[in-house]
């Protein structure tokens, strides 16, 4: 027993190693059978032993038997072949399996330049041009960082002269097969319908593509000025073409949602809002009348049940009618002529012809249809100037009371 | 406990045997040197002393030393029985003459722990007492790999890569070491006429011989990347380094590789020196180097800069690293000045909160490296675009329990002109030794935004050992969604891949990986295969 104590006190592994010798050594001797020892480097130390690290000899990292002295940062053991161009954190790209890298697309995605489209199948040296092949000089992830020469060399059109954006994806699809601008990426201003004109210069008239305006009137001022029916200028219509027009060719169809600012379209008027000619008769420069009779004179003249003209009805249709339909109509018979909705005659009739016995002439009425002569005569014994006649009835009984 | 008891028993037997020994004349020796582990005893002749024999302290008559190795006139021994031994003490040894006991004792010979048993000295000619100071250590690897992109709508690309790495220290136990790191790359485009760069690249990163003149002085000739000045890259020429205790100084004279094809170019003369200090104790490790380098092109100064590199580990939990290049020279339109310009700066620190959490922060600032003579016709244009690309990065890794790992990182790259921006968020979770199905499950999410593109990537990977210590496989799926800033259209892509890694033996491994990706009308394939052969010197086990 005494013989072993000094031996153990001289542990070559330093004073901080607290694990049992049996974790690594066995009674056969001090030789270590790496494949069978229970010691788990990955769990017992902060350095996970995997890949090649798990296969090499311990002494490669542990140059002394005091194991804590072994460095754990990559650069202490491995020379930097990238000339410090990518820092010292090797695990960003490499694993312990091998220095060779096969997950290149994923690495690029994490560093701001995904390899998509035409960039997806390039060889590394086509972009990383350092003479070592593996020194990653600062390139930049903007298009022009690599394609400045392409930009400057393009002559049809001359990108530099016309001031094209250096952001290539503004026009060129990153997934295209080549530099052709077909299909051009114009999502920021869709070239559809009326704008699908296949001639850039029709819009880009200033020779500078970078300052082409996107508001309608910038390109369509002439169209606005020349619009004659209606005259946009005279009517003071908005220069925001989109308020009425779509991208449809020839400006039609157009909507005029601001009509209510001129004349509110309700009811039947609203139903014909898309048939402007019914009111405007094709001439939008002359505002149609806003009073009913201005459009509905013929309706008035032709109305015979009752005959509006003969009865001298008001030409303000709204007094009796609403915009939904001519019927039902409202008629202030009581206030204008004779109370039939109130007073003694309320509920005493079913239809106009109960009293107006001549449908073509509502000025003709008859009290005697209901008020028979013999009853009436008897009630008027003491009335001087009594006449059994409807007009006479009205004269004496204008409100229908006795 | 068993080992302790066994050793105790063995040593007790030895002690008994020593005391019962009947032998020839006693050999007398003297302690010449005592260390914390070993005691050196000088004898006139050690022929009758064997490794494993015990030696007696003359003044006490007790066995106090156990022989662990010997030369012709001295032995190295370790203290037993808690003896106190000092320099000058007399030591005696009585050789054994009883053949039976001798045979039995030989059978009971203890295998001495490796530390206290120095390697047995080989048979040496009389008069040569020196053991080899240097032990040969050779290792290397050869790898061959093939990387192919097979696209449905575009040109295919295939790349073949071969590498040789060799680190031969103290060849034949001499002072001479060799190292090599060579790369050969062959690209096979479908339409070579459409391929802009060259298609074959042979690159030598290291090919140098180092001679250890003295333990504190070494000379290196050839091409070598000096790890103390990593940013300088490979140096063709002579490098010398002298140590003064913890300090060291070095000198470099030679040339830098050609800027076009990385070959030897004597016109690109470079020279310089560096000094530094390396410290190490139980809780602290540090290496700091400061250097000054001048690079020329056809005799004219191309670049002159100061270099600083520091790495340290403090209290085992904090690791720091920094690297800096400060240019000290400029030449524009024939006017030379000593203006300073910070070309590169890299700072990083990692702190471990115990064994479960680690946090890494880093900052870097990089400008284009300007060679004023080489690029004299373009200098003004380059200086016009002389913005530093800066980056910050933070990463945290957490291992709350044995088989679970989590991590997240955020990095940002930026320039003062708002160009080349990149914001990246990455998070992962890893679960090892999954119940029932085994293996490891890895889930990751990445979000990146640049000035013109946003990407979201989800990936799921399952890896497992198919044959223990032999065959490893994994399978993964990635869903990627790209949105270009000037478009509202989303562009999703799907990736499915798998790979197999085979450890044929401890020196030979093979890996094959395949991936198919699909977007819109395009289906692309990537195939990767590699084989690695490691080799070691004759004295090494693996």
């Amino acid at each position: 027993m005494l013989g072993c104590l000094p031996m153990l006190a001289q542990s070559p592994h330093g004073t901080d190693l607290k694990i049992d010798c049996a974790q690594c050594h066995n009674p056969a001797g001090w030789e270590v059978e790496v494949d069978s020892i229970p010691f788990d480097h990955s769990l017992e130390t902060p350095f996970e032993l995997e890949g090649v690290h798990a296969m090499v000899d311990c002494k490669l990292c542990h140059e002394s038997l005091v194991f804590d002295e072994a460095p754990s940062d990559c650069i202490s053991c491995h020379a930097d072949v990238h000339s410090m161009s990518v820092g010292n954190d090797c695990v960003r790209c490499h694993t312990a399996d091998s220095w060779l890298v096969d997950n290149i697309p994923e690495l690029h995605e994490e560093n701001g330049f995904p390899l998509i489209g035409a960039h997806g199948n390039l060889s590394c040296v086509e972009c990383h041009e350092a003479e070592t092949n593996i020194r990653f000089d600062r390139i930049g992830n903007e298009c022009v960082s690599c394609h400045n020469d392409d930009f400057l060399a393009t002559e049809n059109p001359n990108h530099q002269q016309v001031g094209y954006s250096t952001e290539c994806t503004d026009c060129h699809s990153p997934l295209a097969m080549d530099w052709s601008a077909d299909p051009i990426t114009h999502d920021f201003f869709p070239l559809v319908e009326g704008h699908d004109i296949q001639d850039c210069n029709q819009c880009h008239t200033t020779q500078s593509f970078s300052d082409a305006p996107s508001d309608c009137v910038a390109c369509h001022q002439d169209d606005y000025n020349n619009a004659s029916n209606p005259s946009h200028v005279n009517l003071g219509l908005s220069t925001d073409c989109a308020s009425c027009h779509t991208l449809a060719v020839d400006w039609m169809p157009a909507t005029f949602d601001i009509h209510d600012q001129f004349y509110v379209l309700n009811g039947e008027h609203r139903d014909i809002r898309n048939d402007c000619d019914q009111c405007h008769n094709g001439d939008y420069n002359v505002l149609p009348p806003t009073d009913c009779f201005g459009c509905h004179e013929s309706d008035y003249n032709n109305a015979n049940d009752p005959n509006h003209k003969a009865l001298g009805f008001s030409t303000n249709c709204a007094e009796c009618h609403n915009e939904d339909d001519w019927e039902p109509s409202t008629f202030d018979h009581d206030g204008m002529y004779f109370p039939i909705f109130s007073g003694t005659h309320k509920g005493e009739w079913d239809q106009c012809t109960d009293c107006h016995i001549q449908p073509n002439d509502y000025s003709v009425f008859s009290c005697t249809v209901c008020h028979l002569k013999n009853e009436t005569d008897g009630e008027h014994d003491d009335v001087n100037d009594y006449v059994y006649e409807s007009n006479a009835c009205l004269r004496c009984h204008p409100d229908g009371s006795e | 406990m068993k080992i302790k008891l066994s050793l105790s028993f063995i040593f007790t037997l030895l002690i008994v045997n020593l005391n019962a020994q009947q032998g020839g004349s006693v050999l007398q020796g003297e302690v010449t040197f005592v260390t914390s582990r070993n005691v050196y005893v000088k004898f006139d002749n050690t022929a009758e002393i064997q490794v494993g024999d015990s030696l007696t302290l003359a003044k006490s008559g007790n066995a106090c030393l156990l022989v662990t190795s010997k030369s012709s006139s001295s032995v190295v021994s370790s203290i037993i029985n808690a003896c106190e031994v000092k320099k000058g003490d007399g030591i005696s040894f009585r050789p054994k003459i009883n053949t039976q006991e001798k045979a039995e004792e030989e059978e009971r010979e203890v295998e001495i722990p490796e530390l206290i048993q120095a390697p047995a000295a080989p048979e040496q000619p009389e008069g040569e007492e020196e053991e080899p100071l240097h032990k040969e250590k050779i290792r290397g690897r050869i790898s061959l790999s093939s990387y192919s992109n097979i696209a449905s709508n575009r040109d295919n690309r295939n790349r073949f890569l071969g590498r040789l790495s060799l680190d031969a220290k103290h060849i034949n136990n001499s002072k001479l070491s060799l190292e090599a790191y060579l790369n050969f790359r062959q690209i096979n485009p479908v339409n070579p006429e459409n391929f802009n760069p060259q298609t074959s690249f042979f690159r030598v990163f290291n090919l140098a011989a180092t001679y250890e003149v003295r333990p504190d002085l070494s000379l290196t000739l050839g091409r070598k990347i000096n790890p103390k000045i990593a940013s300088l890259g490979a140096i063709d020429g002579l490098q010398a380094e002298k140590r003064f205790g913890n300090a060291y100084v070095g000198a470099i004279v030679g040339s830098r590789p050609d800027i076009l094809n990385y070959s030897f170019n004597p016109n690109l003369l470079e020279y310089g020196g560096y000094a530094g200090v390396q410290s190490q104790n139980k809780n602290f490790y540090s290496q700091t180097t400061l250097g000054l380098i001048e690079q020329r092109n056809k005799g004219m100064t191309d670049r002159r800069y100061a270099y600083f590199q520091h790495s340290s580990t403090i209290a085992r939990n904090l690791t720091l690293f920094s690297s800096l290049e400060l240019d000290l020279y400029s030449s524009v339109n024939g006017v030379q000045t000593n203006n300073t310009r910070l070309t590169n700066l890299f700072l990083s620190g990692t702190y471990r909160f115990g064994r479960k959490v680690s946090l890494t922060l880093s900052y870097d600032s990089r400008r284009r490296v300007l060679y004023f003579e080489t690029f004299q016709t373009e200098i003004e244009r380059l200086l016009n675009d002389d913005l530093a690309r800066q980056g910050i990065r933070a990463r945290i890794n957490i291992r709350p329990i044995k088989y679970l790992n989590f991590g997240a990182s955020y990095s940002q790259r930026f320039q003062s002109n708002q160009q080349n921006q990149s914001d990246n968020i990455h998070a992962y979770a890893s679960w090892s030794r999954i119940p029932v199905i085994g293996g490891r499950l890895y889930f990751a999410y990445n979000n990146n935004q640049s000035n013109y593109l946003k990407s979201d990537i989800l990936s799921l990977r399952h890896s497992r050992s198919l044959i223990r210590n032999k065959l490893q496989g994994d399978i993964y799926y990635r869903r990627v969604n790209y949105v270009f800033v000037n478009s509202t259209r989303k562009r999703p892509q799907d990736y499915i891949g798998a790979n197999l890694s085979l450890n044929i033996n401890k020196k030979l491994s093979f890996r094959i990986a395949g991936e198919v990706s699909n977007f819109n009308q395009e289906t692309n394939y990537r195939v990767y295969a590699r084989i690695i052969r490691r080799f070691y010197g004759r004295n090494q086990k693996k």
Side-chain angles (χ1 to χ4, degrees):
Chain A
M1 279 296 288
L2 292 176
C4 78
L5 286 176
M7 177 77 77
L8 296 171
Q10 295 182 41
S11 170
H13 306 306
T15 56
D16 291 335
L17 190 68
K18 304 297 182 198
I19 63 174
D20 189 1
C21 304
Q23 286 282 313
C24 303
H25 301 284
N26 60 57
W30 291 115
E31 294 293 324
V32 177
E33 295 294 329
V34 177
D35 292 335
S36 60
I37 59 175
F39 176 75
D40 189 334
H41 199 289
S42 301
L43 295 178
E44 301 289 344
T45 75
F47 193 87
E48 191 161 350
L49 215 59
E50 52 184 5
V52 177
H53 290 146
M55 295 165 60
V56 297
D57 188 44
C58 308
K59 297 192 198 68
L60 213 58
C61 306
H62 298 283
E63 292 184 342
S64 80
L65 288 175
V66 180
F67 300 128
D68 285 348
E69 291 178 356
S72 59
D73 56 322
C74 310
I75 201 168
S76 296
C77 297
H78 301 292
D80 181 8
V81 295
H82 303 300
S83 307
M84 280 304 297
S85 58
V86 285
N88 71 333
D89 192 9
C90 305
V91 296
R92 291 180 68 182
C93 302
H94 299 283
T95 68
D97 290 330
S98 166
W99 288 116
L100 299 170
V101 178
D102 60 359
N103 61 335
I104 294 168
E106 293 172 64
L107 296 175
H108 278 75
E109 286 157 3
E110 295 172 17
N111 285 280
F113 192 80
L115 299 179
I116 55 174
H119 299 123
N121 69 330
L122 297 180
S123 295
C124 310
V125 296
E126 293 181 73
C127 302
H128 298 285
E129 299 176 329
E131 70 277 11
T132 74
N133 295 157
I134 53 175
R135 189 184 71 233
F136 299 104
D137 295 335
R138 199 193 78 175
I139 297 178
N141 60 355
E142 307 287 346
C143 308
V144 71
S145 301
C146 288
H147 295 295
N148 192 47
D149 289 347
D150 297 295
F151 181 89
L152 295 174
T154 305
E155 291 183 352
N156 186 20
N158 189 311
H159 284 31
Q160 198 179 12
Q161 197 173 47
V162 299
Y164 275 5
S165 164
T166 54
E167 196 60 68
C168 304
T169 55
D170 283 352
C171 300
H172 298 276
S173 169
L175 302 169
M177 298 299 134
D178 52 34
W179 281 110
S180 70
D182 182 22
I184 195 169
T185 301
H186 213 279
D187 290 1
F188 49 89
F189 191 89
L191 299 179
V192 295
E193 298 187 81
H195 289 142
D196 184 13
I197 52 180
Q198 303 297 322
D199 182 0
C200 307
N201 293 326
Q202 284 210 31
C203 302
H204 298 281
T205 58
T206 63
Q207 298 298 310
S208 173
F209 281 73
S210 60
D211 62 1
S214 58
D215 55 316
C216 311
V217 73
C219 291
H220 295 294
Q221 183 71 63
D222 287 346
D223 296 295
Y224 179 90
N225 293 341
N226 295 332
S228 58
N229 194 14
S231 170
H232 288 30
V233 173
N234 292 344
L235 288 174
L237 298 180
S238 169
T239 55
D240 180 14
C241 308
S243 63
C244 300
H245 299 278
T246 65
L247 294 175
V249 177
D250 292 335
W251 299 102
M252 296 296 288
T255 58
F256 194 63
D257 294 334
I258 61 170
H259 196 286
D260 286 358
Q261 295 177 17
F262 300 89
Y263 184 83
V264 178
L265 298 175
N266 291 324
E268 282 281 339
H269 292 139
R270 186 156 191 81
D271 291 343
I272 61 168
R273 67 186 183 281
N274 292 325
D275 188 3
C276 309
D277 281 351
Q278 283 211 32
C279 300
H280 292 277
N281 295 315
D283 186 354
Y284 297 91
N285 290 316
V286 177
L287 292 176
T290 57
D291 61 306
C292 310
F293 194 71
C295 288
H296 295 291
E297 180 177 355
S298 61
D299 295 297
Y300 179 91
N301 292 336
N302 293 331
N304 54 20
D305 183 23
N307 190 314
H308 286 36
K309 189 174 180 181
L311 286 172
F313 279 7
S314 167
T315 57
N316 182 4
C317 307
E319 287 185 12
C320 301
H321 301 281
N322 60 46
E323 291 179 276
D324 291 330
D325 204 343
W326 291 118
E327 295 183 12
S329 62
T330 59
F331 184 50
D332 188 12
H333 195 285
D334 287 18
M336 294 175 66
Y337 300 101
F338 182 79
I340 59 172
F341 296 106
S342 62
T344 57
H345 286 79
K346 178 181 178 182
E348 295 298 329
W349 58 276
D350 293 319
Q351 53 192 351
C352 303
T353 52
D354 287 352
C355 301
H356 296 280
I357 54 180
Q358 291 187 24
N360 291 332
D361 187 356
Y362 272 75
S363 64
V364 176
F365 63 92
S366 170
C367 305
T368 57
V369 172
C370 295
H371 298 283
L372 299 177
K373 187 176 188 313
N374 56 348
E375 291 175 16
T376 308
D377 287 350
E379 291 167 358
H380 288 80
D381 285 341
D382 54 347
V383 176
N384 292 331
D385 300 325
Y386 162 74
V387 178
Y388 182 71
E389 194 269 329
S390 296
N391 287 309
C393 298
L394 181 62
R395 275 198 304 274
C396 294
H397 305 281
D399 59 356
S401 60
E402 290 185 358
Chain B
M1 189 62 187
K2 273 190 182 174
I3 295 173
K4 291 182 187 173
L5 286 174
S6 301
L7 290 173
S8 305
F9 177 71
I10 289 165
F11 285 136
T12 304
L13 284 177
L14 282 173
I15 292 164
V16 169
N17 274 328
L18 283 169
N19 289 335
Q21 205 169 63
Q22 304 288 327
S25 59
V26 175
L27 300 177
Q28 299 295 334
E30 181 183 347
V31 174
T32 57
F33 191 61
V34 179
T35 70
S36 60
R37 296 176 186 173
N38 296 317
V39 177
Y40 296 80
V41 183
K42 182 172 169 53
F43 289 92
D44 291 333
N45 191 304
T46 62
E48 293 181 76
I49 302 175
Q50 306 300 324
V51 172
D53 286 341
S54 59
L55 307 176
T56 304
L57 186 64
K59 63 186 179 187
S60 68
N62 296 327
C64 278
L65 299 175
L66 188 71
V67 175
T68 58
S69 66
K70 71 170 192 178
S71 66
S72 58
S73 60
S74 66
V75 300
V76 181
S77 60
S78 60
I79 295 176
I80 58 175
N81 293 333
C83 291
E84 286 186 17
V85 178
K86 61 182 187 301
K87 183 179 174 183
D89 281 346
I91 301 295
S92 63
F93 172 71
R94 184 184 293 281
K96 297 179 286 292
I97 60 171
N98 185 322
T99 54
Q100 184 179 1
E101 284 183 347
K102 187 175 178 183
E104 286 175 356
E105 184 146 2
E106 282 174 355
E107 286 178 9
R108 287 194 295 267
E109 186 173 19
V110 173
E111 226 176 298
I112 304 300
E114 201 168 310
L115 171 72
I116 59 176
Q117 180 183 32
E123 293 283 334
Q124 295 181 24
E126 196 169 356
E128 268 196 51
E129 297 184 2
E130 293 294 324
E131 290 182 0
L133 288 177
H134 310 291
K135 194 171 179 186
E136 180 183 89
K137 194 186 286 187
I138 298 175
R139 62 189 178 93
R141 67 177 183 269
I142 298 173
S143 66
L144 302 173
S145 67
S146 168
Y147 186 88
S148 300
N149 262 322
I150 303 161
S152 58
N153 297 343
R154 305 172 195 273
D155 287 349
N156 296 339
R157 286 279 195 278
N158 168 257
R159 181 192 75 199
F160 172 80
L161 187 64
R163 287 187 181 178
L164 168 67
S165 165
L166 171 67
D167 188 8
K169 286 189 166 56
H170 305 300
I171 297 168
N172 244 359
N173 299 329
S174 71
K175 296 182 180 182
L176 182 68
S177 302
L178 286 174
E179 61 184 297
Y181 185 54
L182 317 175
N183 236 0
F184 175 74
R185 184 189 301 244
Q186 175 68 41
I187 299 170
N188 304 306
V190 171
N191 297 308
E193 62 273 12
N194 292 339
F195 192 76
N196 189 21
Q198 64 189 88
T199 56
S200 294
F201 302 85
F202 178 65
R203 295 292 182 264
V204 177
F205 296 96
N206 273 344
L207 185 62
T210 300
Y211 186 76
E212 197 172 300
V213 179
R214 291 196 301 269
D216 60 352
L217 174 64
S218 65
L219 298 174
T220 300
L221 182 68
R223 174 174 288 191
K224 180 179 164 62
I225 297 171
N226 190 319
K228 294 188 173 71
I229 329 177
S231 75
L232 187 59
I235 302 161
D236 292 329
L238 181 66
Q239 300 179 51
E241 185 170 301
K242 173 86 170 71
R243 300 188 72 88
F244 302 92
N246 287 342
Y248 53 85
V249 293
I252 297 162
V253 61
S255 64
R256 56 192 158 101
D258 187 86
I259 61 169
L260 294 177
N261 56 23
Y262 210 55
S263 63
F264 175 67
N265 187 340
N267 290 322
L268 301 178
L269 176 69
E270 67 178 354
Y271 52 89
Y274 60 90
V277 62
Q278 182 171 327
S279 307
Q280 186 167 4
N281 61 36
K282 192 172 78 169
N283 290 319
F284 179 76
Y285 165 83
S286 159
Q287 184 181 81
T288 305
T289 306
L290 178 66
L292 194 62
I293 306 293
E294 168 126 345
Q295 296 171 315
R296 290 181 170 245
N297 187 347
K298 294 178 183 171
M300 305 297 292
T301 301
D302 219 354
R303 188 184 181 208
R304 183 187 303 142
Y305 69 99
Y307 176 82
F308 172 83
Q309 180 173 308
H310 169 84
S311 63
S312 58
T313 302
I314 303 168
R316 298 177 199 168
N317 288 335
L318 178 62
T319 305
L320 301 173
F321 180 87
S322 62
S323 166
L324 177 154
E325 288 179 27
L326 184 69
D327 277 60
L328 304 172
Y329 170 87
S330 72
S331 173
V332 182
N333 293 328
V335 178
Q336 286 93 33
T337 62
N338 294 324
N339 291 340
T340 59
R341 175 174 171 268
L342 183 63
T343 306
N344 284 318
L345 173 66
F346 183 83
L347 306 168
S348 80
T350 299
Y351 189 80
R352 284 197 182 86
F353 301 87
R355 284 187 182 166
K356 300 192 177 194
V357 182
S358 71
L359 176 66
T360 301
L361 300 172
S362 69
Y363 167 81
D364 75 299
S365 171
R366 297 188 63 206
R367 279 197 164 104
R368 191 192 311 270
V369 174
L370 297 178
Y371 292 100
F372 290 92
E373 181 61 26
T374 304
F375 300 133
Q376 60 177 311
T377 58
E378 296 179 72
I379 274 295
E380 285 187 296
R381 179 182 70 80
L382 294 173
L383 285 172
N384 199 37
D385 184 29
D386 191 28
L387 295 173
R389 199 272 296 135
Q390 302 178 71
I392 55 172
R393 189 160 185 266
R395 186 183 76 196
I396 185 166
N397 292 321
I398 302 169
R399 189 169 72 174
I401 59 175
K402 231 176 181 182
Y403 305 121
L404 277 180
N405 270 298
F406 300 99
S409 70
Y410 172 75
S411 61
Q412 187 183 75
R413 237 193 350 246
F414 51 93
Q415 280 177 200
S416 58
N417 64 352
Q418 314 306 321
Q419 296 284 297
N420 296 317
Q421 287 186 328
S422 169
D423 280 16
N424 196 84
I425 297 171
H426 182 84
Y428 76 89
S430 171
W431 181 17
S432 305
R433 301 195 191 183
I434 305 166
V436 180
I437 63 172
R440 180 165 74 174
L441 205 59
Y442 179 88
F443 173 77
Y445 168 74
N446 193 85
N447 171 273
N448 187 280
Q449 294 190 43
S450 66
N451 279 341
Y452 61 92
L453 180 68
K454 299 176 187 175
S455 62
D456 284 287
I457 301 146
L458 287 172
S459 59
L460 186 64
R461 180 185 292 260
H462 176 60
S463 49
R464 61 175 300 116
S465 172
L466 300 172
I467 301 173
R468 190 168 181 270
N469 294 331
K470 274 285 184 187
L471 185 64
Q472 181 88 11
D474 60 27
I475 186 167
Y476 64 88
Y477 168 74
R478 291 196 307 130
R479 172 73 166 182
V480 179
N481 201 22
Y482 297 121
V483 178
F484 285 89
V485 170
N486 57 15
S487 169
T488 56
R489 190 158 63 130
K490 292 186 179 179
R491 302 171 195 266
Q493 300 193 27
D494 296 295
Y495 295 79
I496 298 175
N499 62 67
L500 287 173
S501 297
L502 175 64
N503 293 328
I504 300 168
N505 54 45
K506 284 188 177 173
K507 297 181 184 178
L508 187 62
S509 65
F510 175 76
R511 174 183 167 94
I512 186 163
E515 179 187 273
V516 57
S517 63
N518 180 264
F519 166 73
N520 208 12
Q521 308 297 326
E522 289 191 50
T523 300
N524 298 322
Y525 302 89
R526 282 194 314 131
V527 181
Y528 176 78
R530 74 155 190 255
I531 184 164
I532 301 176
R533 171 74 163 91
R534 301 176 201 281
F535 53 90
Y536 301 91
R538 56 179 179 268
N539 295 328
Q540 290 173 250
K541 293 193 176 171
K542 287 187 180 179

